[in-house]
Every structure is written in structure tokens, then in C-alpha cells.
Amino acid sequence: MIPLKAYLVLSALLFGIGLAGALSRRNAIMVLIGIELMLNAANLNFIAFWRFHPGTEPLAGVMFVLFSIAIAAGEAAVGLALIIAIYRHYKTTNLDRMDSLKG
Amino acid sequence: MVDLVRDDKGRPLPLGLEQSASIPQMPSELLEVSMGPHHPSTHGVFRMDVVLDGETVTRLKPVFGYLHRNHEKIAEKTSYIGSMPYTDRLDYFCSMTNNWAYALAVEKLVGLAPPDRAEYIRIITAELTRLQNHACLVGFLLQDMGAMGTPLMYAFREREKILDLFESLSGSRMMCNYMRFGGCRVDLPPGWLEQARRVVADFPQFLDEFEALLTGNEILMARTQGIGVLSKELAVNASVTGPMLRASGVNYDVRKVDGYGFYPRFDFRVPLGDHGDCYDRLMIRLLEMRESLKILEAALRDIPTGPILNPKSKLRNFKPNPGEAYGRIEAPKGELGFYLISDGSVSPLRYRVRPPSLINLTILEDMCLGHSVADVVVILGSVDIVLGEVDR
Amino acid sequence: MTFMAMITCLPHMLLLANPDEWLVRLKQTIVHWLPGPWQFVISSLITIAVLIAVFGALFAVATLIERKGLGRIQNRPGPNRVGPYGVLQPMADAVKMLIKEDVVPRAADRVVHFLAPLVLVAPVMLAFSVIPYGQGLVPINLDAGVLFFFAVGAASELAVFMAGWSGHNKYSLLGAMRAIAQMISYEIPLVLSTVTVVMMVGSLSLVQIVAAQGGYWWGVIPRWNIFAPWGLAGFVVFMIAAIAESNRSPFDLPEGESEIIAGFLTEYSGFKYAVFFMGEYFGMFAISGLAITLFLGGWHAPLPYLGWVPSFLWFFGKLFIFLFVFIWLRGTLPRLRMDQLMNYAWKCLLPLALINIGVAVIWRFTAGWPGPLRWLVCALLIVLAFVWLEKTWMKSRELKPRTYHYAS
Amino acid sequence: MQAAFFIIAALIVIGGLAAMLVRKLVHAVLWLMVTLASLAALFLLLGAQFVGFAQILVYVGAVAILIVFAILLTRNSEWAKAGRLASPSWLVGVGIAGLATGCLIASILASSIPPGVPVPPAASVADIGQKLMTEYVLPLEAVGLLLTAAMIGAVIIAMPEDKRG
Amino acid sequence: MLGEGIIKGMVETARNFFGSYHDPARFVTIQYPEQRVPLKENNRNFPFLVFDGADTEKGLRCVACKICEKECPPQCIYIVPERDAHGKLQKHPKIFDIDISTCMSCQICVEVCPFDAIKMDQEFELSTGDRFSNLLLHKQDLAKPNDYYHKIHPTEATLVDAQLAKERQLAAQRKAGAGAAPASPPKHAPEKLVPVG
């Protein structure tokens, strides 16, 4: 039987990878991919806890994950639209160049 | 040394490709696509350089000449009768009408008049050619729209019957070389008239089937109505002729205008469209097929007997006295004309063919601007070009 | 001893049980005398083997039927040189595909170019595991079967993109963009028309949906969903979206060969092209399998006294009818243009699907009314919606056959 | 069961790392999809069937195409220039991330969690549907509203200026 | 109604599909090697030389007058007349080549030939391995007996034979009538009127 801790460690690792990617990569889309990874790491935690400690409210974990997936999809859509708009303005998606607040 | 563009592993890219590898010089969203010369839907070796903005066409440059065989220069070196077989190779769908146009031009040059029976045979063969050419055109157009060849197969099934008639008459299905200056080469073999009457009798049934496949079809209407509109003024200015011109509403049919051959004896009507788009061109051709059937029934009914070649016609060292002549007929694709200048020698001084396909093609860009790639194919199909005639 | 047991129980099993159990019982006898832990693995392996064998053979037969059917529509015999009446033509095609050189363009992205066909075919194979083929013959009885089917089906868009992008060729990129836009916009009417059936049956599991379609009204008309007004409209919307989803006939724009060579398949040849070809056919089988399960009563016999026929024969019979309709459409209809395709999906199919859900709700809450009146009201609503839609869609484009005048 | 968990866990970690480190963007998206698909497999392993399929449907089906379209629209799919992959201050970023994961893992290992319930609680589609419609109706409508707002917003932002009007 | 046109089209293809099983007009394919379409009598492919009697050399009707070589539009005929011991031109060809890769079977040589020596064949299965030597037909390959000509173009052959017989009889008469005066061979009317049927 896989202990709950294994799942938690796995999700922490995934979260760490996502965070490292989001912080270090230059390309805006890569940052977005990093954020996606972090979101999914959180979902993994919810399902792990739901599986091992359902507690009084049995389906809470599953519900949370469903809503979080829906919102993450919406967020990805808006994020990418932003990137396209910024690209149209700056002609590049390299984050280092996007330092001026003007325009 | 030209500094080659290298891909990320450092390997030099083949020459043609670096243009797409690096950021293209043009504004980023324009896409340069060249359709042809061996593109599945260009009816032969014909290329179109299309500049696309997303899906819509912004510039279209037709490029032809891949099938140029120097027909007119060769004709200046061969005898008059020698270039008659070459006229079969102009518009290889309608060799009978090509022959007739050339024979008409030479007859005008020399002043020969073919006997009545020959005139009737010429009208019968010309109208049969018009039937099979229009049937094939509609078939190819639907093939371009994606109907997987079914209408094309039906059209070819009917065309075979007509080609059998030509084979038993002139000896070859497509390269007939049948007309001579002042008449025809061979008289009708026995039983030919009955077979022709039978073919003409059950052609309307095929036409009804074809219309059942076409007229009401919503997808076809959506794909062709309002596409490739050709205005009357542009059609007349660009000297477009044939079904394309009549689809734009201009009443100009050389058979009615010139009244060459015995056409004035037959009553047939000239259908006219009023939108001038692809749908009209399609329908005009279907209606013209019905008119041709009427002419054929009348001609086959009262064809006289008698000689088929004017006795004064000469075959070898035929030297027409110096002068010039322009003979034109209503070929299935438009007004096909031959302009000859003779200097009294055995071969013409100047031999010029007025190719309807080429002249109808010059306005392809004006019709295609603003449409999508799929429409360009449909518009090209509705213009009905044959590269043999375009490139000569 | 076990061998003797096997022999004795074989006849008993064959004769008594009706043919559906015959297959299931056969599998159980093989599995039950295997060592414990291996039982689950072996039984699933058997199912997988059977699925691949059946649909592989069906793919071979389908290519032959397609070419002969198209031929017959066009008044020609279709392939009849290889084997009697061209029966061995699929073998010849398979050998040809294996022998042909597999050209990978130099500038192509080799890994993605190689993976694309696999990512296209694998999900469709997964989709087969959920459809109930016979009485007990459902590979996996998931209680969220429909959701699984669409979840797996959605992966094919990614595969199409990989195929189009990896070739680094203008035409394939254009074709891939078109294919993805088409698949996404036709997925919504597909899912919505499935929602009506799921809503009326009350369960996402395909087995229950088929079970709900058992029985017969007045003893003759089978209780299939297609005979309810909302079922018929749902079936029409589902089929149109299914044809678009599997890139067939009027919607085969991605490989619109007359415009952009072969769309996202331009850069593929040899075995990878065959795998794509197979993927398209499997997609067609899967989507028509789902249509049969949802609307045509899965493996139920159309008439009560035909019950003795083994149930999977009904399923595959209906599948062949669907196959013939696909071929028939491919032989007749010209192709729609890209923007018309999109308009048709968003402005015509989507409203129809939503209205259909409304009608299904009305059908549900008028359970009390006498049968024919209820049927009439819902049918009327759908016809009204259909006519209103036609008016707006056609009027906006004034598409109508024209009459022509003749010169004086 | 043991072997399944370790294979999927390895896939997730490798996929995540590759998604972050690979040079070409389209490859990064494909590796992301490998991670998310194996995550969905993990959900199925844990017994949450509905969530697993929803995850595949939403992520592998829709978000992948979304990101890929974004990549194509911003012309990133051209040959990646040789340039540096990471921003100059990448060391700092990775350091912070390492620190964060370190504390997380340390606290997880140190905590004492009572052994969980052996059999997975029932999560059939019917109960989820029941719950969604009774207890979680408000969040459901809110998410619906949010998604439509996000869609309209995305469309307007991505619309070219001249058409915005 | 929205789908009406499409349904009409579908009914049309269905009629053809089921028609192809029972109505021969809707199933037109002829399996070529096994079944063959009977060639029309006027069908023409590449030319061949006709010879009377048995001997292919002497019986050739061709008198090497080179009219066809001059008139042939693609110039694909090559004739070298025979010369006897002391260089005097003879009335039959030593070399008569037709390059059938250039010949477009336009049949003008048959029309201009005053001696009905060259006629159009109906043999169309001519695929060969080598593009050059096999496609250059020499006198031996071209020569075919007169009864072969009767087999492929019966009506035309009988007319030609009747014409030749009449001329031969006319020539014999003139020779007999004129007695000593050397009668030059009768000249044919330049055009070849071949009224058929």
C-alpha cells in the first residue's frame, strides 16, 4: 500500500519543478507552463488527501479538484490571450525585454 | 561563399528552405503559396503564384507556358493541309471544332464552299463536341469541389459514346483530323446516323441525372454562388467569350452573330445568366447542352445526301493566292479564330490562333481577389481552360 | 484432469447458453484455470487481442468495401484484380504500404514526426474499450464511459497538430490548422447531442444506456432513442458532427487534396501514412460505434422475435450500415469551404443541439400526457426550430436555384 | 499496485523536468502533456475516475491546443535562436524553488499522519452529480460565469487592435 | 427544405449504385486484356505498306515516289529508291523507314499516296523495350499482305482493289490499242477520293 506521504512528496517535487521553471525561464509561455505544473501539483494533493482521509465531507476533495481544473483552464486561456496581446506590442515574448511600463 | 542558414544542429539547410526557416522577409502574416505546375486541380501544367493573407487571396499570378509547342511557327513551315492534324492538339477535348475553325479560315482565304452534306456533318460533329466538352467541364468542376469523381465518371460514361461516334467516323477518338478545305475527308459510315440518333435520344436522361446531382445541392450552391463574380464591363473589356461571357449576361454567341455554316437554319436559344458567378457558368453550360441537343435532333433528321467534298478542293501543293482571312467559330470554350496571311506559297506566311481559354484566363486574378484558396480552385475550374489551347 | 474437464464442459457450454454467453464463458474457462495473480492480466490481454484482431480485420475489409462501393457508385467494378473479386486487395495494400520508403523530410522534427501517428491511433484504440458490442461483451464497464470516450477522443487533435507542425511544410501547417479548428468546433455539438441521451437515460455508462433501449413499444417498434423526437434530432446532429470529427466526406477539408495537397498528411509516406489511414478508419468505427450505442440501441435486435441472433451480429450489422452511409456520402457530396464549415457548426448545429436539449426536457416533464400527443408536441418543436434555422441560415446567404432567361 | 505507482511517479517527475529544460517550446508542451496524462493515470490509480477523465479531457484535449496556438501565433516555433535559455537570474529562481520544495518535503516527512482508510471512498458519477447539483450549486454557477467572462476577455484581448473598434 | 438538394443527389448515386448491378448501361467497364472492344472499321493507328501476291519485296505497291515523305507533317518517313547496276532509279524503295515514335497517325500519307501503297493499320499493342531501334520500323516490318488490308478495312479494300483492277485493265487496253507508241504509265488523279458506303 503506498503511504500518503509518497503522494505528498511527489506533489511537492512537481510543485518545485513548476516553480523553478516559472522563475527561471525567459519565455512567457514557459512561465505559463510552469504555473500549470504548480496547479496540477495542488490537485494531486487534494485527491491524495481525499483518498486517504475522506473525513466527514467525503467528496470535498474531488469537488475542489473539478472546480480547480475548470478555473485553471479559464486562467490558461486568459494568460495566453495576454501573451498574444503583449507579443503584438513588443514583437517578442522574451520576458527580460518587457521592463518598461509605458504603452 | 553564400553564408548558408544553418539549423540548430549546425547542418546547412537546403537552399530552397532557408526562406521559411528564418523570419520571412514579407510582413509576417502573408503566406506565399505556389499552386502547380503539377497541382491536382489545375487541369494540366499551369501554375498560380498565390499570396495568401490567412485564407484570403491578396495576389494571384497565373504562370503558363509549360506546354508551349511552338504550333504557330511550325505552321509557317508546313503546308496548309499539314497543320490540320496539329489543330487537333490545340484543345484536345474538341478536335472537331478546331478542325472546322481552321478549315473555315482557309475556305474564306480561297473562297471555297463546302457542299450541303458536309455543312450538316460539320454542325453535327461540332454540337456533339460541345456536349461532351460541357459534360466533362461540369464533371471536373465538381471534382475540384471534392465530389470524389462521381459526376466526372458519369460525364465520361456519356463522353465515351460520343467518342465512339467520332472514332467510327474519322478513325481516331480525340485526334480526328477530319475536316478538309471545302468539306470533309470521309463520308458517314453505314449505321452511323442511327447510332448518333440513339446517343442524342438518351442524352437528356443523363442531363436530368446530372441536374439532380447539381442544381438543388446546398453545398454546391454555397460553394459556387457569389464566387468569382465577373461583371459585364470587365468581361467585354477583357474580350472574354463563350459561356463565361454569356453567364455575365452579355448576349454574344458567334453562331448567332456570324451565322457561319448552316446555323441560321436551326432555331436554338442562347441562355444568359445575370450574376456572372461560378454557379451561373455551371448552369449556362448545362442549358447550352440542352440547346445543342435540339440542333442535333434537327440536323440528324434532315441531313441531305450528296458529295462531301467540294471538287475544286486541292490537297497537295495548295497555293492560295496572296491575301489574309480570319475564320472564327463558337468553340465550346469560346470564340476560336484562325488568322491566316498567305503569300501565294505552299505554306502560310502568318498563322495565328485566337485561343479562347487563354483570353478567358487573363482575368483570373480579378475574379479571385478576396476569395479563399478553395474558391480559387473552383473559379479556375469554372473558367474551363485546356492547357493545349492556352500554351499552343 | 483439467483437460478432461475442459472437454466435458465445452459441449455443455456451446449448446445451452445463447451465443453471447458462449464467448464470455469461453474466456472465463481459459482464465479460471490460470494461476491467481495472472488471471486479471491474461483476461485483459485476451480482450485487447480480440479487439485489435476484430477491428484490424474490419479496417482491411472497410478499405475494400470503400473502394468497391465508390466504384459501383461510379459505374465501375472497383478493385477486382487481386484475388477473386479483389478480395485480397487489402493484403496487397498492406504489403505496398510496408514496402514503400518512409521519407522523413530533412528539416522535419524527427521525434514529433514519428510520434504523431502513434498519438493519433492509440487514443482511438482506447475508445474501443468502452463500447458494448454484445450482451456481456463490453471490454471495460466504466460508469463514466461516455466521458472516457470523449476524453480519449480529444487527444487526436494534438496528434493532428504534431503531424502538421513536424513536417515544416506550409501546406501541412495550413491543413493542421484547419483540421484542429474543425475538430474543436464540431466537438461541442457532438458532446451536446450526447448530453441529451445521457440526460434522458440518467447514466454516463454505455452499458446502462443500451440497457435502457431494450424492450419494444406496442411489441413492434424497438425502444431505441432514435424513435423519440429528441432522439431523431439528436441523431441527426450527432451524425453530422461525427462525420466532421472523423474528417470524412463533406467535411474532409484537412486533406482537401484539390486545394492543399494532402493537408497534414503531406509529409508522410509508407508505413506512417498507413497508420494515419488506419487511425482515420478506427476513428470512424469508434464514432459510429458510439452512435449505435446511443441512438440505435447498441446490440438490441430491431424486432422482438429476432432475439435468437447473437447480439454482437446486430452491432456489427449496424456498423456496416454506417460504413456504407459514410462511403455513400463520400461518393456524392462536394466539400464545404472552411468558413462555411465553421459557420455551420457554430450557427446551425450548436443551436439545434441546445434546442434539442430543451425539447428533451419538455419530453421528460410531459411523461403524463398520452403517447402520440407528447410525441407530436416535441416533434413540432423540433421541426419549428429546424425551419426557423433554415430560414435565417439560407436567407442570410440567399442560396436558391436560379432560373435563366434566354436571349431574344 | 506498487510497480504502477512508481512508474507513473517517475513519468511525472521526468516529464516535469523535461518540460522545463527542453529548448524547443513545442517539445516543452508535449512533455507537459506527458506529465498531465500520467497525473490523470495517478488519479485513476487513486480511484477518482471522474476526475481522471476530466483532467485528460480538459488538459490533453483543450489546454494543449491552446498553448500550441499561442506558440504559433507568437512565432516561437521558428528555429530557436542559439541564445540563452534561462534569464540571467536563473540561479536565484532555482535556488528559491529548491528552498521551497526542501521545506515542504521536510515538513511532510516530519509530520505524523494516521494511516489512511484502506478502501477508496465511493466516488461514483451519480454522487458527484448529486453533490454538484445540491451542495455545490453556487460554485458551479460561479465557475460557469467565470469561464464565459474569461472566454470573452480572451477573445477581446487577442483581437487585433483595428477590429476592436 | 434545407437538406432537400443533398438528398436528391444521394438518391441519384444510390440509383447508380444499385443500377450498376442489373442495368448494363450503368456498368460500362470492359476488362481490357480479357474482354476487348471491337475496333471500328475506320479506326487507324500507324501506317503499313501493302504488297500484292506473295513476295514482300517485289509485290510492294510503293514506287518510291516520295510524295508521302514530303507531305508528312512531322516528316517521319524516310525513303531511298532502289538503283540498278548502273545507277538508274528503280520503281521500288530500297529503304522505307517510318519512325513511329514521331508519327501521329494523322493519315495524310494515305490520302496523298497516288498508288494506294500505304494504308493505316489497326494494331495498337506496340509497346517495346527499346525506345530507338524498335520504334524505327523498316520496310520488312511495315510490309503486310493485301488480304490483311482486306481483313482490317474490308469496304475500303474492296473499293481500292476495284479501282486498281480498272486501272490495270485500262493500262493494258491502252498498251494494246496504242501498239508501238510507248505508253507511259497512266497518271492517277492527284486526289484520292475514297467514297465509302
Side-chain angles (χ1 to χ4, degrees), chain A residues 54-72:
Chain A
T56 56
E57 185 49 46
L59 276 180
V62 171
M63 285 303 156
F64 239 95
V65 169
L66 280 181
F67 287 128
S68 113
I69 287 179
I71 294 168

Side-chain angles (χ1 to χ4, degrees), chain C residues 31-327:
Chain C
V31 168
H32 90 272
W33 39 270
L34 278 166
W38 287 96
Q39 275 195 339
F40 173 71
V41 174
I42 294 298
S43 84
S44 49
L45 273 182
I46 292 172
T47 333
I48 292 168
V50 165
L51 268 182
I52 292 180
V54 163
F55 279 101
L58 201 58
F59 162 61
V61 169
T63 46
L64 179 64
I65 292 175
E66 167 128 32
R67 289 175 63 179
K68 282 199 92 68
L70 266 182
R72 280 291 171 174
I73 284 179
Q74 295 167 358
N75 304 333
R76 52 185 174 82
N80 57 5
R81 287 287 164 188
V82 185
Y85 298 107
V87 165
L88 299 182
Q89 184 64 32
M91 313 315 151
D93 289 348
V95 167
K96 177 188 77 175
M97 278 301 171
L98 290 174
I99 294 174
K100 273 210 177 133
E101 188 212 354
D102 192 350
V103 174
V104 177
R106 196 176 113 110
D109 187 327
R110 226 162 287 286
V111 171
V112 176
H113 191 265
F114 175 76
L115 278 181
L118 306 184
V119 172
L120 184 79
V121 175
V124 184
M125 294 274 201
L126 287 178
F128 284 139
S129 65
V130 169
I131 301 171
Y133 301 107
Q135 194 94 33
L137 303 175
V138 55
I140 314 165
N141 182 1
L142 289 174
D143 72 347
V146 174
L147 185 63
F148 176 78
F149 188 93
F150 285 122
V152 160
S156 59
E157 281 136 20
L158 192 60
V160 163
F161 170 74
M162 281 162 67
W165 179 78
S166 67
H168 275 286
N169 154 348
K170 272 196 270 276
Y171 285 142
S172 54
L173 199 58
L174 209 61
M177 289 298 181
R178 285 180 177 198
I180 295 166
Q182 172 182 329
M183 281 187 182
I184 289 179
S185 45
Y186 276 93
E187 191 132 4
I188 296 143
L190 197 75
V191 170
L192 280 178
S193 54
T194 325
V195 158
T196 27
V197 173
V198 166
M199 196 170 68
M200 294 311 283
V201 170
S203 137
L204 268 173
S205 140
L206 288 167
V207 174
Q208 253 122 40
I209 291 174
V210 169
Q213 291 174 36
Y216 300 91
W217 283 315
W218 305 307
V220 178
I221 305 171
R223 203 181 287 278
W224 296 348
N225 287 343
I226 194 166
F227 291 118
W230 52 269
L232 189 64
F235 179 70
V236 166
V237 170
F238 187 91
M239 273 326 290
I240 293 172
I243 295 170
E245 194 70 25
S246 57
N247 294 342
R248 287 283 304 187
S249 93
F251 305 97
D252 57 356
L253 215 64
E255 325 101 26
E257 56 285 345
S258 57
E259 293 113 32
I260 37 166
I261 311 296
F264 57 89
L265 296 176
T266 327
E267 290 309 327
Y268 282 88
S269 58
F271 189 64
K272 288 198 197 111
Y273 185 78
V275 173
F276 267 111
F277 201 55
M278 192 166 72
E280 189 200 321
Y281 270 87
F282 280 175
M284 204 169 66
F285 295 150
I287 208 86
S288 24
L290 186 67
I292 293 168
T293 328
L294 292 179
F295 295 99
L296 290 176
W299 40 265
H300 282 290
L303 294 172
Y305 42 82
L306 284 177
W308 50 272
V309 174
S311 58
F312 53 83
L313 285 186
W314 292 118
F315 181 86
F316 282 101
K318 292 171 192 167
L319 195 66
F320 272 105
I321 292 171
F322 269 86
L323 185 63
F324 180 72
V325 169
F326 273 106
I327 295 167

Side-chain angles (χ1 to χ4, degrees), chain A residues 8 30 32 34 82:
Chain A
L8 298 185
M30 283 312 288
L32 210 95
L82 272 178

Side-chain angles (χ1 to χ4, degrees), chain E residues 18-40:
Chain E
F18 295 112
S20 72
Y21 285 103
H22 55 78
D23 172 1
R26 294 191 190 283
F27 188 67
V28 288
T29 320
I30 288 168
Q31 309 290 346
Y32 165 61
E34 291 86 15
Q35 308 155 347
R36 283 171 182 273
V37 174
L39 283 179
K40 305 288 181 300

